[in-house]
């Protein structure tokens, strides 16, 4: 533009140049401008008129005049494309205009000199007008055809460096005005680079006009091409739509694409079809995705969403990073799918890191994103964090929906905070949001967790009043309610109502009913429900199998439980740690630790990772067997497996050492528990007290109780029972009586164990009158003595050398309907044989009746007891008699062996009936100081 710079001024008001018209018409007919006003011409030839449209008679008589007709339509950008064309000198323009004007004038003069035709009739005149209007309609779209497809504020930027990214490009062009969007076209084969061009959409047209002025500017070593968008892209799309309507959408799409695009489009449709029809087959989904040549953002988003629904957060992240490596910028929807994957996988830390990344990249979080985060924290049981994100969603988004309300209500129902859940329901109703049936189910489930049957039924009634039809989920909530509160007949009534209304049970409702019967130890009905489910054609899932295995373990049929696990594996159901837990517990409680450890190894071979509860079950079984060394080995194995011990673990170890009277080890693990930052509760102190009382260190026990008072841990009936039992072992009835008074002052109600321990203290102190009064006090307040109470009382009368009282107590026990056990027979026979004489005939007859009852009950005593009783019989009957013959039927089978008989008589000393009593142990001041130091640490 070296010569025409002054001529082609941007401020020239008389310059109606249109690049659009130049592209649409031939050069001869497209130039219709003048640089300066023309001189006045004679009337027949007016070339100075800016409007070249002639009267109707000229249009009808001269066909060439239609080519000169130019519509007067104002253009938004009259200088479009001007700067990119070669410069034109003023003289050249003037000569063209003058020659064009003279030619036009000559034509007009010629037509004017011709004799005018006769006036046309009215009808032809209307036809001419119609022809003229149709011509105008046909001409105007041709001129504005391109202009109507152009997007305002959109410019084309070409000759870009291939390595440039959006942020750098936006930073440069933002100087002309705010940018709405930047479109950078990626390379066909090298997706990490761009194709060398792109588009920028400004918020205002003025900004685009300013940017066009910088056409030819240098940018990172490249001379940029900057021009206004010509609307070709939108025009092509409009033409495609027309062709789709006329020829069919699919045919038109595929006909306009290359074979590469057609193959790619087919792969994309295959992926979508598999996701819709066979989404459970993840191998087919992944295979279909890998076959897509150069997946787009849509395909990557579908895969991230697919992995998110499955909870496969690792593959979701991998797909997300692959998409970013190809230069595809993630959208808010794709980020939401990735956050959903982490939420389903219960990894909310990574989900929050994705949220922070979204905010750093300036991507706005949608309401769906907030809903996913609130739902993730709800399932993780973190109601506080769910409330935080819910409040943030309310601040950012003016209106919320029922989905996010449902998730925050679920969070508080799971934490049993029903007051907050009710407040959220009221808030949702005040906002005018109708609660879906899922929220009713959530509230019913929440009231079930807190065992509020009344409110749960109110919600159920309200659900029906609102026009909702109860579904299988609704009735499942009711069945779950009645099974948890122990009203199984009500649950069966709900089941019958479902059948009457034609609603079939699903796996969850069957599982709830089986679980309810298992809790009631009603094994027959549990298996009956399982058979009904199988008859209905349903295949049990892992949860149902776990309930059935728990039922077998509750019955003590451990072998059948293991067979059920093998059946699960045959049906390709993967057992979980909950599958093996009841089996391990069952063997541990029965004392078969070898089997328990075998099942533990079987669980590991099945791919189940042992949890702290699994290890605790093993430790519990070993503690019951008093195998403390093996229990400590399990504790060390936990540390090697990376499983941290909890309070229950250390408490069990302490209880084990307390049972063997090892106070030092009990305090050692108490110190370890505190050092690891675990919470010390009343069960921990109970274990310490048992250790102290078992070993007779009552002063240490008092130091433990003082520490409990310091930590504001109240003493319950179990703590008092342990202390009273400790003083009872020492025979200190006064301290035991003082503790009984403290219980009454603190409002702690004594139970049967408390009274039994106090009777034991009275018996050891020889105060049988007080023991008898205690029995009377128990009966007065409605506490009935049990077998252990009578056993303690019998032992006290035997200690007082009053066998007739012991026999009387034994007869009284049978009269109230209590069945004597082995301990009662052992205690009674030992005391009677040790203190009875031949002169007391009623004692002899009592011993004979007890012997016959033992034989009828099939009781067999151990060898040490048999030797002791045999020595007593020698004193009573000498060489033998009817009593000896009857009593020997309760001896071990190998008693008749002469070797064993004489060996035990020579080696075993007399077994006193008080062999289980411990000698008094006096505490030293050093022991008390040691306990105080351990507690304060």
């Amino acid at each position: 533009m070296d010569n025409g710079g002054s001529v082609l001024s941007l401020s020239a008001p008389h310059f109606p140049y249109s690049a659009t018209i130049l592209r649409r018409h031939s050069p001869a007919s497209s130039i219709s401008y003048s640089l300066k006003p023309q001189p006045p011409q004679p009337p027949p030839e007016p070339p100075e008129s800016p409007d070249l449209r002639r009267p109707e008679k000229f249009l009808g008589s001269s066909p060439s005049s239609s080519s000169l007709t130019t519509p007067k339509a104002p253009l938004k950008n009259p200088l479009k494309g001007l700067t990119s064309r070669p410069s034109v000198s003023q003289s050249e323009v003037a000569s063209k205009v003058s020659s064009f004007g003279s030619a036009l004038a000559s034509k007009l003069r010629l037509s004017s000199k011709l004799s005018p035709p006769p006036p046309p009739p009215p009808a032809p005149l209307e036809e001419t007008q119609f022809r003229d209007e149709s011509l105008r309609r046909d001409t105007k779209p041709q001129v504005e055809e391109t202009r109507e497809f152009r997007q305002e504020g959109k410019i084309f930027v070409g000759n870009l460096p291939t390595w440039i990214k959006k942020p750098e490009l936006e930073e440069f062009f933002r100087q002309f005005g705010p940018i709405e969007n930047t479109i950078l076209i990626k390379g066909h084969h090298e997706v990490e680079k761009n194709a060398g061009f792109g588009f920028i959409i400004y918020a205002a047209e003025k900004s685009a006009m300013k940017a066009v002025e910088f056409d030819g500017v240098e940018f990172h070593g490249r001379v940029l091409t900057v021009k206004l968008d010509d609307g070709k892209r939108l025009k092509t799309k409009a033409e495609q739509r027309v062709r789709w309507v006329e020829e069919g959408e699919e045919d038109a799409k595929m006909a306009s694409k290359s074979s590469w695009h057609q193959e790619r489009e087919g792969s994309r449709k295959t992926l979508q079809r598999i996701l819709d029809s066979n989404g459970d087959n993840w191998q087919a989904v992944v295979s279909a995705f890998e076959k897509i040549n150069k997946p787009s953002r849509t395909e990557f988003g579908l895969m991230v969403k697919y992995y998110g629904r499955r909870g496969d957060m690792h593959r979701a992240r991998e797909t997300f990073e692959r998409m970013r490596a190809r230069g595809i910028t993630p959208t808010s929807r794709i980020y939401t799918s990735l956050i959903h994957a982490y939420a389903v996988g219960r990894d909310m830390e990574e989900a929050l890191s994705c949220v922070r990344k979204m905010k750093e990249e300036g991507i706005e979080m949608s309401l769906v994103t907030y809903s996913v985060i609130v739902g993730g924290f709800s399932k993780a049981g973190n109601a506080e964090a769910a409330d935080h994100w819910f409040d943030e969603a309310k601040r950012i988004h003016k209106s919320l929906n029922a989905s996010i309300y449902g998730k925050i209500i679920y969070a508080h129902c799971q934490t049993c905070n029903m007051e907050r859940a009710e407040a959220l329901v009221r808030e949702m109703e005040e906002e005018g949001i109708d609660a879906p049936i899922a929220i009713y189910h959530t509230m019913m489930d929440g009231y079930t967790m807190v065992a509020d049957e009344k409110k749960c039924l109110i919600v159920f009634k309200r659900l029906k009043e609102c026009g909702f039809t109860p579904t299988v989920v609704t009735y499942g909530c009711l069945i779950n309610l009645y099974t948890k509160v122990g009203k199984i007949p009500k649950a069966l009534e709900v089941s019958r109502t479902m059948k009457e209304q034609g609603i079939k049970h699903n796996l969850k409702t069957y599982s709830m009913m089986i679980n309810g019967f298992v809790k009631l130890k009603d094994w027959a009905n549990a298996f009956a429900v399982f058979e009904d489910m199988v008859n209905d054609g349903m295949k049990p899932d892992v949860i149902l199998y776990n309930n059935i295995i728990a039922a077998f373990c509750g019955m003590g049929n451990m072998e059948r439980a293991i067979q059920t696990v093998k059946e699960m594996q045959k049906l390709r159901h993967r057992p979980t740690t909950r599958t093996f837990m009841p089996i391990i517990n069952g063997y541990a409680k029965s004392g078969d630790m070898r089997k328990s450890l075998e099942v533990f190894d079987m669980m590991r071979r099945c791919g189940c990772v042992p949890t702290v509860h699994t290890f605790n079950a093993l430790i519990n079984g070993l503690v019951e067997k008093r195998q403390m060394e093996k229990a400590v080995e399990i504790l060390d194995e936990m540390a090697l497996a990376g499983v941290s011990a909890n309070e229950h673990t250390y408490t069990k170890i302490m209880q084990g050492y307390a049972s063997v009277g090892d106070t030092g080890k009990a305090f050692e693990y108490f110190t370890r528990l505190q050092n690891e930052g675990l919470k010390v509760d009343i069960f921990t102190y109970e274990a310490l007290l048992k250790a102290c009382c078992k070993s007779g260190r009552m002063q240490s026990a008092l130091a433990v109780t003082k520490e409990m008072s310091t930590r504001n841990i109240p003493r319950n009936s179990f703590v008092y029972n342990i202390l009273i039992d400790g003083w009872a072992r020492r025979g200190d009835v006064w301290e035991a009586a003082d503790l009984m008074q403290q219980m009454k002052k603190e409002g702690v109600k004594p139970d049967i164990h408390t009274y039994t321990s106090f009777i034991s203290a009275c018996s050891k102190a020889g105060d049988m009158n007080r023991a008898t009064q205690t029995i009377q006090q128990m009966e007065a307040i409605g506490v009935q003595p049990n077998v252990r109470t009578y056993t303690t009382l019998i032992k006290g009368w035997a200690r007082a050398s009053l066998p007739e009282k012991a026999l009387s107590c034994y007869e009284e026990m049978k009269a109230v309907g209590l069945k004597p056990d082995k301990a009662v027979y052992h205690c009674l026979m030992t005391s009677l044989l040790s203190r009875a004489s031949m002169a007391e005939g009623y004692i002899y007859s009592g011993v004979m009746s007890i012997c016959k009852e033992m034989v009828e009950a099939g009781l067999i005593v151990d060898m040490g007891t048999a030797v002791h009783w045999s020595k007593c019989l020698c004193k009573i009957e000498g060489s033998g008699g009817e009593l000896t013959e009857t009593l020997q039927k309760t001896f071990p089978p190998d008693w008749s062996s002469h070797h064993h008989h004489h060996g035990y008589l020579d080696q075993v000393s007399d077994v006193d009936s008080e062999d289980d009593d411990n000698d008094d142990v006096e505490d030293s001041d050093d022991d008390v100081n040691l306990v105080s130091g351990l507690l304060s640490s």
Side-chain angles (χ1 to χ4, degrees):
M1 302 177 68
D2 48 347
N3 297 328
S6 61
V7 177
L8 303 177
S9 174
L10 297 176
S11 61
H14 59 277
F15 199 22
Y17 179 82
S18 174
T20 307
I21 300 176
L22 288 176
R23 286 193 295 271
R24 285 295 176 188
H25 301 280
S26 61
S29 62
S30 60
I31 304 178
S32 63
Y33 60 89
S34 60
L35 298 178
K36 53 186 177 180
Q38 296 291 331
Q41 298 293 334
E45 39 187 25
E48 75 280 2
S49 174
D51 190 358
L52 299 181
R53 189 178 294 110
R54 306 310 299 166
E56 296 175 2
K57 60 180 180 178
F58 295 109
L59 289 172
S61 62
S62 177
S64 63
S65 63
S66 62
S67 63
L68 300 176
T69 303
T70 305
K72 283 184 70 176
L75 296 178
K76 295 183 181 179
N77 182 20
L79 298 179
K80 175 184 171 185
L82 180 63
T83 56
S84 61
R85 293 187 172 274
S87 60
V88 182
S89 64
Q90 185 175 2
S91 59
E92 292 175 353
V93 173
S95 62
K96 289 182 180 180
V97 171
S98 61
S99 61
F100 174 73
S102 61
L104 180 60
S106 62
K107 289 182 180 180
L108 292 176
R109 284 196 297 269
L110 179 62
S111 61
S112 64
K113 289 180 179 180
L114 296 174
S115 58
L125 180 61
E126 292 178 1
E127 183 180 354
T128 305
Q129 291 177 350
F130 175 77
R131 198 165 53 243
D132 181 45
E133 291 176 1
S134 63
L135 180 62
R136 293 180 184 180
R137 287 196 302 267
D138 295 340
T139 307
K140 187 173 182 179
Q142 291 179 358
V143 178
E144 298 181 354
E145 185 176 5
T146 305
R147 185 175 54 194
E148 68 181 2
F149 290 113
R150 196 185 78 81
Q151 184 177 354
E152 291 187 7
K154 185 176 181 180
I155 64 172
F156 169 83
V157 182
N159 200 29
L160 287 169
T162 57
W163 54 267
I164 206 68
K165 302 294 181 185
K166 281 186 181 181
E168 290 87 349
L169 189 62
E170 289 179 349
E171 184 180 358
F172 178 77
F173 280 93
R174 194 176 286 116
Q175 59 183 314
F176 307 115
I179 297 175
E180 286 187 354
N181 191 15
T182 301
I183 304 172
L184 196 58
I185 308 302
K186 298 298 179 181
H188 187 69
H189 296 291
E190 298 182 3
V191 294
E192 294 83 5
K193 299 181 179 180
N194 62 72
F197 66 94
F199 300 89
I200 294 178
I201 303 175
Y202 285 100
E205 180 72 11
K206 290 183 179 180
S207 303
M209 296 298 297
K210 289 180 183 179
V212 168
E213 296 179 10
F214 281 78
D215 179 32
V217 70
E218 184 177 350
F219 179 67
H220 289 285
R222 294 284 191 98
V223 178
L224 297 183
T225 299
V226 185
K227 59 183 180 181
L228 294 173
D229 177 42
D230 55 7
K232 285 184 178 179
R233 181 169 174 270
L234 296 179
K235 178 186 175 184
T236 304
K237 285 189 174 181
E239 293 174 351
Q240 286 179 353
R241 293 191 189 99
V242 175
R243 191 163 60 250
W244 293 343
V245 173
E246 295 176 354
E247 303 176 5
E249 182 175 355
E250 297 300 325
D251 297 338
K253 274 186 176 181
M254 301 308 295
S256 63
K257 294 185 177 180
S258 63
S259 58
W260 184 88
H261 284 90
Q262 292 179 9
E263 181 183 354
R264 180 171 176 269
E265 188 67 23
S267 301
R268 295 171 65 179
K269 290 181 179 178
T270 302
L271 173 63
Q272 187 65 55
R273 185 177 64 255
I274 293 175
L275 285 173
D276 294 338
S277 61
N278 195 18
D280 294 335
N281 189 353
W282 69 271
Q283 293 177 339
V285 174
V286 173
S287 177
F289 176 72
E290 295 297 335
K291 290 179 181 178
I292 299 177
N293 194 356
K294 191 184 176 184
S296 65
R297 181 187 287 108
T298 303
E299 286 75 49
F300 278 114
L302 286 174
M303 290 304 296
V304 175
K305 184 178 180 180
Y306 173 74
Y307 287 129
R309 288 180 176 177
R310 291 172 57 90
D312 194 345
M313 52 188 178
H314 302 295
R315 286 191 174 89
R317 186 73 188 197
E318 179 187 359
T319 306
F320 181 82
E321 295 300 336
R322 281 179 60 188
M323 180 189 70
R324 300 201 69 158
R326 295 179 70 90
I328 301 175
T329 305
T331 60
S332 175
R333 181 173 297 179
I334 297 177
Y335 263 117
T336 302
S337 298
L338 182 61
I339 293 171
H340 183 236
Y342 284 116
V344 174
R346 306 292 177 91
D347 191 351
M348 295 309 298
E349 291 295 329
E350 285 295 330
L352 294 181
S353 70
C354 293
V355 172
R356 290 191 291 269
K357 192 68 176 177
M358 286 181 68
K359 293 182 178 179
E360 290 174 3
E361 296 180 2
I363 300 175
E364 184 179 355
M365 293 176 62
S366 65
L367 185 58
V368 179
T369 312
Y370 281 108
S371 181
V372 169
I373 296 173
V374 172
F377 281 115
S378 300
K379 291 182 179 179
N382 192 346
E384 184 178 354
D387 265 333
H388 168 75
W389 289 100
F390 178 76
D391 293 338
E392 184 175 322
K394 284 200 297 185
R395 289 195 303 269
I396 294 177
H397 298 277
K398 294 182 180 179
S399 59
L400 304 181
N401 55 21
S403 175
I404 191 169
Y405 268 110
K407 290 176 180 178
I408 190 63
I409 290 171
Y410 175 82
H412 290 288
C413 287
Q414 291 300 304
T415 55
C416 300
N417 188 0
M418 297 309 297
E419 293 183 0
R420 174 63 176 158
E422 292 171 0
L424 287 168
V425 172
R426 287 192 297 270
E427 178 184 328
M428 182 178 65
E429 292 175 348
E430 291 172 359
E431 294 290 334
I433 302 173
D434 294 332
I437 192 171
I439 292 183
Y440 287 93
H441 294 160
T442 302
M443 294 296 292
M444 291 176 68
D445 187 58
Y447 287 125
T448 299
M449 295 179 68
V450 298
D452 194 339
E453 180 183 353
K454 181 179 179 182
K455 287 192 175 182
C456 184
L457 295 177
I458 290 175
V459 175
F460 175 70
K461 182 179 178 181
R462 180 62 179 163
L463 179 147
K464 293 190 293 184
E465 291 175 354
C466 291
F468 290 108
T469 302
T471 63
V472 64
V473 180
T474 313
Y475 287 113
C477 293
L478 289 179
I479 291 173
N480 190 28
L481 167 69
Y482 288 127
T483 53
K484 286 197 173 182
V485 298
K487 296 182 178 180
I488 299 300
K490 287 279 190 180
L492 294 175
E493 183 180 342
V494 174
S495 177
R496 287 191 293 270
T497 305
M498 290 176 62
K499 292 182 180 180
E500 292 173 358
Q501 297 184 2
I503 300 175
K504 294 184 178 180
H505 284 275
N506 58 15
L507 290 176
K508 287 188 176 180
T509 54
Y510 276 122
S511 180
M512 291 172 187
M513 295 182 68
I514 292 174
N515 191 31
F517 284 120
V518 168
K519 287 182 178 179
L520 294 178
K521 297 183 179 181
D522 191 347
W523 320 118
N525 280 323
F527 290 118
V529 173
F530 183 77
E531 290 178 0
D532 291 342
M533 183 201 67
V534 175
N535 294 334
D536 287 345
M538 293 186 181
K539 295 182 179 180
D541 58 359
V542 176
I543 298 176
L544 264 171
Y545 273 117
N546 290 349
N547 289 334
I548 292 298
I549 289 171
F552 282 124
C553 293
M555 294 173 62
N557 193 349
M558 310 304 298
E559 296 299 328
R560 187 69 182 89
I562 294 177
Q563 290 179 7
T564 306
V565 174
K566 294 179 180 178
E567 290 177 8
M568 288 178 62
Q569 294 174 330
K570 288 180 181 179
L571 296 174
R572 296 188 176 181
H573 288 299
R574 184 179 177 181
T576 62
T577 52
R578 292 193 176 186
T579 308
F580 293 98
M581 273 295 295
I583 305 177
I584 295 174
N585 271 325
Y587 278 123
K589 288 181 180 179
S590 63
D592 194 346
M593 289 307 300
R594 183 180 63 82
K595 283 283 188 180
S596 184
L597 292 171
E598 287 179 0
V599 175
F600 182 78
D601 294 336
M602 178 182 176
M603 181 187 71
R604 282 183 162 177
R605 289 194 300 269
C606 290
C608 299
V609 180
T611 62
V612 63
H613 305 290
T614 316
F615 283 110
N616 287 347
L618 289 176
I619 292 175
N620 189 23
L622 293 170
V623 166
E624 293 294 333
K625 297 286 290 183
R626 298 192 179 184
Q627 299 178 3
M628 297 308 301
E629 293 182 0
K630 290 185 177 180
V632 173
E633 290 178 3
I634 296 295
L635 186 63
D636 297 336
E637 188 176 346
M638 286 178 65
L640 293 176
V643 179
S644 300
N646 58 12
E647 298 89 345
H648 182 71
T649 312
Y650 286 112
T651 301
K652 274 296 175 184
I653 296 289
M654 292 167 61
Q655 289 175 356
Y657 282 116
S659 62
V660 297
D662 194 338
T663 311
K665 284 289 185 180
F667 275 98
E668 177 185 340
Y669 282 95
F670 177 79
T671 305
R672 285 183 59 178
L673 184 147
Q674 288 183 311
N675 293 339
E676 293 185 11
L678 298 176
K679 184 179 179 181
V680 179
D681 55 9
I682 190 164
F683 301 104
T684 312
Y685 284 112
E686 285 178 7
L688 278 181
L689 289 173
K690 283 182 181 179
C692 296
C693 295
K694 184 77 174 180
S695 59
R697 299 178 179 271
M698 297 309 299
Q699 295 300 324
S700 300
L702 293 177
V704 173
T705 56
K706 289 180 181 178
E707 178 67 17
M708 290 176 62
S709 301
T710 304
R711 298 197 177 203
N712 295 323
I713 298 177
R715 290 182 285 185
N716 56 14
S717 59
F718 296 99
V719 173
Y720 278 109
N721 291 345
I722 294 170
L723 292 173
I724 293 173
D725 185 67
W727 290 115
R729 289 174 180 273
R730 301 182 60 158
D732 197 335
V733 68
W734 300 108
E735 290 288 348
D738 185 56
L739 287 172
M740 293 283 289
Q741 294 297 325
Q742 290 183 23
M743 288 183 70
K744 293 179 180 179
K745 290 180 181 179
E746 295 181 8
V748 181
K749 187 177 180 181
D751 54 11
I752 184 63
H753 303 288
T754 312
Y755 285 112
T756 302
S757 297
F758 185 71
I759 291 171
S760 176
C762 296
S763 299
K764 289 187 178 181
D767 193 351
M768 294 307 299
N769 291 330
R770 196 166 192 171
T772 305
Q773 293 175 3
T774 304
I775 292 289
Q776 295 173 356
Q777 293 176 5
M778 289 172 58
E779 295 175 347
I781 63 175
V783 179
Q784 298 298 325
N786 58 11
V787 175
R788 186 179 175 185
T789 309
Y790 280 109
T791 304
T792 306
L793 199 58
I794 289 170
K795 186 184 293 186
W797 288 118
R799 186 195 297 268
S801 299
L802 294 172
E804 63 279 3
K805 291 286 188 181
L807 278 174
S808 176
C809 187
Y810 172 73
E811 295 297 335
E812 181 183 347
M813 180 182 68
K814 291 195 299 180
V816 297
L818 296 176
K819 185 178 179 180
D821 57 3
K822 188 175 180 178
V824 174
Y825 286 120
H826 181 278
C827 177
L828 186 59
M829 288 296 299
T830 302
S831 60
L832 291 177
L833 291 175
S834 300
R835 293 173 173 83
S837 64
M838 289 297 297
E840 299 171 338
Y842 68 95
I843 297 294
Y844 182 85
S845 61
V847 172
M848 284 293 298
S849 64
I850 294 173
C851 288
K852 291 177 181 179
E853 290 180 12
M854 291 178 65
V855 173
E856 291 175 358
L859 297 179
I860 303 297
V861 299
D862 59 89
M863 186 61 69
T865 304
V867 171
H868 176 66
W869 287 359
S870 178
K871 294 176 67 175
C872 294
L873 288 172
C874 291
K875 296 179 181 179
I876 297 174
E877 293 188 335
S879 60
E882 183 182 1
L883 180 59
T884 303
E885 183 180 352
T886 305
L887 193 58
Q888 284 183 353
K889 293 179 181 180
T890 63
F891 290 178
D894 55 351
W895 173 256
S896 59
S897 173
H898 180 76
H899 173 74
H900 281 84
H901 178 65
H902 288 282
Y904 270 95
L905 286 177
D906 295 337
Q907 296 177 12
V908 180
S909 59
D910 292 343
V911 179
D912 191 22
S913 61
E914 319 298 336
D915 56 352
D916 57 340
D917 297 336
N918 295 326
D919 295 334
D920 294 344
V921 181
E922 297 296 336
D923 291 330
S924 62
D925 295 338
D926 295 338
D927 291 337
V928 177
N929 294 334
L930 176 62
V931 172
S932 301
L934 289 172
L935 290 173
S936 60
S937 60

